[in-house]
Structures are given as structure tokens and as C-alpha cells.
């Protein structure tokens, strides 16, 4: 399996501004002083290997959308997605570039929940307009279809849901009851979030990953903590909502339905998960702040963990082999 991050932000999409880009340019040029960068090769090496990721690139701005490549894309016409945030637009464009309109594809979408930042990309998902394509939207909310139809009503969007050319199907899942798709096993788990959200554990050919976003973890609920430890158990990858610091999550932003990097580390260590991906970045965090959170998280894991836990921070365009 392979995970591709098409949207890593939480709450709403964000974009780099002229101020952000200027700050990156200034930092890069200041770092180049005295380095004798007098060739294209030296410049490329400096940019690729000596600048921090937060200077040379960006963690991105699209809201939640993750592709999970389960089957060989050269031989299979089926695809798996987690959530339909604004990141599904570039994903759809990539699918159109690869397959065009003449090769019908099937998209299995597993929805964590129906808040706007997780569904807002669907009206811009080009494959949904192509006859012959099939889109199966899985989730545990019985209002799946209502939510997606409502955002394309005339008062909100110029193209109605009924004008979509693809075949759209809805599959209402039950938490704890796995769905099987061509050898892929997907199990949903209820999470603490306003209106409920659901995490997903995906298992295929002995590999496993967990997608757990928009989930709050209360420090005074040890039984629920153990439930999540079991859900994360031995996962090769956990994509985890680390929107807040621990201090914010238990104080000013308690009951806001999100978690922290520290809780993600603690759960993954207890579950013996192999890799943690920090996800659903706070929209007011600039790239430097996200990079700082990643460094702090790695230090915390080194201090507290007995077994190694690899930690990365999600960015738009990231690929993670599972």
C-alpha cells in the first residue's frame, strides 16, 4: 500500500501569501551567503539538501484528502480515498491526466465526517462529471447523501448534484463491522467530535494503516484510550489529527474535537505502531511553525519511547510507502 496526501490542512484551505514567499526567499538568500553557489548543480544541492523543508517548500494548503494506493494502478481501475476536502480537486485532475475520460474508474471514498472542510472538494472533483465512472461513498453517517447534495443546491453552487455524470452510490457502514473490497479490509471506529467522526483502519496483504482525524482524546477516559490503542495496534502507519498543542487541547480548545502531537505519540507508542504522520494542520500555522511542531514531536518521542517511532508531518504531495 501507499498513502498520498492531497490535502493536509484542517478546518479550511489556506494559501501562501506574498509575505510568506518573501520570508522564504530572504531566508534562502541569507543562508546562501558565503557558499559560492556558482553553478546550477551547487544551487540545486543547496536547495534540496541544505535548506529546511519549511524554507524550500510548503506543507500545503488543501483540506483533508488522502489517497490510498492499494492495487496496481496499471492493472486495476479501483481507487481508495479518505475524505473529500479541497485536496480531492488536484487528485481528480491527476486521475484525468492519467486515465482521461475514456477509461471508466471506480472510486471508493471513506468519509470521516461531514463537516464542510471534509466535503468541500467534491463539487470540483472532475471524475464525478464523467459518465461511466463509479463513486462509492462509504461512511457511518446516515446523512451522507444529504450533506453532499445540499452543498450543490442552487443557492450554494451552480451545478446540481443530479447533473453529475458518474454513478454515485452511498454505503452506510457500522462501526466495528469491516467492509471488504477486493482483499482490502476497512473497519470504522467512532471518535469524539461534534456530530461524530469515524477513524478507519485499512488492512491489505499483511500491511495496515489507520486514518484518525477530527478526534478528541480526553485524558480522564482511560477505557477509551485503550480502545484506540487496540485500533492502532501494530499499524504500519497512523495518520493522526495533531491540530493543537497538548496545552491547547486540554484547556482553551477543549471540546473542539481535535487532538495533539503528544497524544498521537503516546497512542502510537502504546500500540507499537511503526510510523506516525501528523495531519490536519492548524490553518493559522505557517510552515516554520509546523516544522517546529514536527521537531518537538520527534524529541518527545525519543525521550518517552522504548521502541523507535518514525514521525513525519503531512504535506500536500507527500507519498508514504506502507
Amino acid at each position: 500500500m501507499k498513502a498520498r496526501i492531497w490535502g493536509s490542512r484542517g478546518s479550511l484551505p489556506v494559501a501562501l501569501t506574498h509575505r510568506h514567499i518573501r520570508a522564504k526567499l530572504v531566508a534562502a538568500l541569507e543562508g546562501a551567503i558565503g557558499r559560492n553557489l556558482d553553478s546550477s548543480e551547487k544551487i540545486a544541492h543547496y536547495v534540496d539538501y541544505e535548506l529546511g523543508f519549511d524554507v524550500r517548500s510548503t506543507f500545503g494548503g488543501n483540506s483533508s484528502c488522502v489517497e490510498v494506493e492499494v492495487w496496481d494502478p496499471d492493472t486495476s481501475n479501483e481507487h481508495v480515498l479518505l475524505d473529500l476536502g479541497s485536496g480531492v480537486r488536484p487528485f481528480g485532475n491527476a486521475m484525468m491526466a492519467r486515465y482521461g475520460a475514456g477509461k471508466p474508474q471506480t472510486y471508493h471514498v471513506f468519509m470521516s465526517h461531514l463537516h464542510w472542510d471534509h466535503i468541500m472538494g467534491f463539487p470540483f472533483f472532475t471524475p464525478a462529471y464523467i459518465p461511466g465512472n463509479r463513486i462509492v461513498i462509504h461512511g457511518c453517517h446516515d446523512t451522507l447523501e444529504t450533506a453532499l447534495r445540499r452543498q450543490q443546491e442552487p443557492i450554494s453552487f451552480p451545478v446540481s448534484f443530479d447533473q453529475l455524470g458518474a454513478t454515485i452510490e452511498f454505503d452506510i457502514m457500522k462501526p466495528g463491522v469491516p467492509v471488504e473490497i477486493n482483499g482490502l479490509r476497512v473497519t470504522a471506529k467512532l471518535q469524539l467530535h461534534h456530530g461524530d467522526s469515524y477513524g478507519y483502519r485499512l488492512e491489505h496483504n499483511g500491511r495496515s494503516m489507520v486514518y484518525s482525524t477530527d478526534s478528541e482524546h480526553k485524558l480522564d477516559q482511560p477505557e477509551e484510550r485503550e480502545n484506540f490503542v487496540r485500533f492502532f495496534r501494530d499499524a504500519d502507519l497512523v495518520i493522526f489529527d495533531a491540530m493543537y498543542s497538548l496545552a491547547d487541547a486540554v484547556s482553551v480548545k477543549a471540546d473542539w474535537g481535535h487532538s495533539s502531537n503528544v497524544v498521537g505519540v503516546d497512542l502510537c507508542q502504546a500500540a507499537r505502531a511503526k510510523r506516525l504522520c501528523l495531519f490536519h494542520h492548524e490553518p493559522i500555522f505557517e510552515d516554520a511553525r509546523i516544522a517546529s511542531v514536527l521537531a518537538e514531536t520527534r524529541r518527545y518521542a525519543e525521550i518517552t519511547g522504548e521502541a523507535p517511532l518514525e514521525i513525519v508531518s503531512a504535506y500536500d504531495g507527500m507519498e508514504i510507502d506502507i
Side-chain angles (χ1 to χ4, degrees), residues 19-164:
R19 179 177 61 83
H20 299 137
I21 295 172
R22 182 185 183 280
K24 289 175 183 287
L25 288 172
V26 169
L29 291 172
E30 287 178 342
I33 295 173
R35 291 179 179 269
N36 192 29
L37 301 179
D38 56 359
S39 70
S40 297
E41 291 75 16
K42 290 180 180 179
I43 293 171
H45 187 276
Y46 168 63
V47 170
D48 293 337
Y49 300 104
E50 299 178 52
L51 286 177
F53 180 85
D54 58 307
V55 176
R56 73 174 185 268
S57 190
T58 180
F59 287 93
N62 278 310
S63 64
S64 302
C65 182
V66 176
E67 173 194 4
V68 184
E69 185 179 289
V70 180
W71 308 284
D72 184 348
D74 293 326
T75 58
S76 175
N77 69 341
E78 297 200 69
H79 312 272
V80 175
L81 278 178
L82 301 164
D83 280 334
L84 293 167
S86 64
V88 80
R89 184 189 66 84
F91 167 74
N93 292 344
M95 293 296 98
M96 294 303 300
R98 178 163 193 159
Y99 300 109
K103 297 180 180 179
Q105 305 293 306
T106 295
Y107 299 92
H108 293 278
V109 183
F110 292 87
M111 297 298 305
S112 65
H113 64 308
L114 303 174
H115 288 165
W116 192 38
D117 54 320
H118 290 255
I119 67 172
M120 67 194 319
F122 189 64
F124 303 94
F125 182 46
T126 302
Y129 293 85
I130 307 300
N133 283 340
R134 176 176 174 242
I135 301 173
V136 185
I137 301 175
H138 308 265
C140 298
H141 293 84
D142 58 10
T143 51
L144 276 177
E145 183 171 0
T146 300
L148 291 174
R149 282 184 171 276
R150 186 177 60 181
Q151 73 171 342
Q152 289 190 237
E153 290 178 356
I155 196 170
S156 300
F157 199 75
V159 182
S160 74
F161 188 90
D162 290 329
Q163 289 178 270
L164 300 177

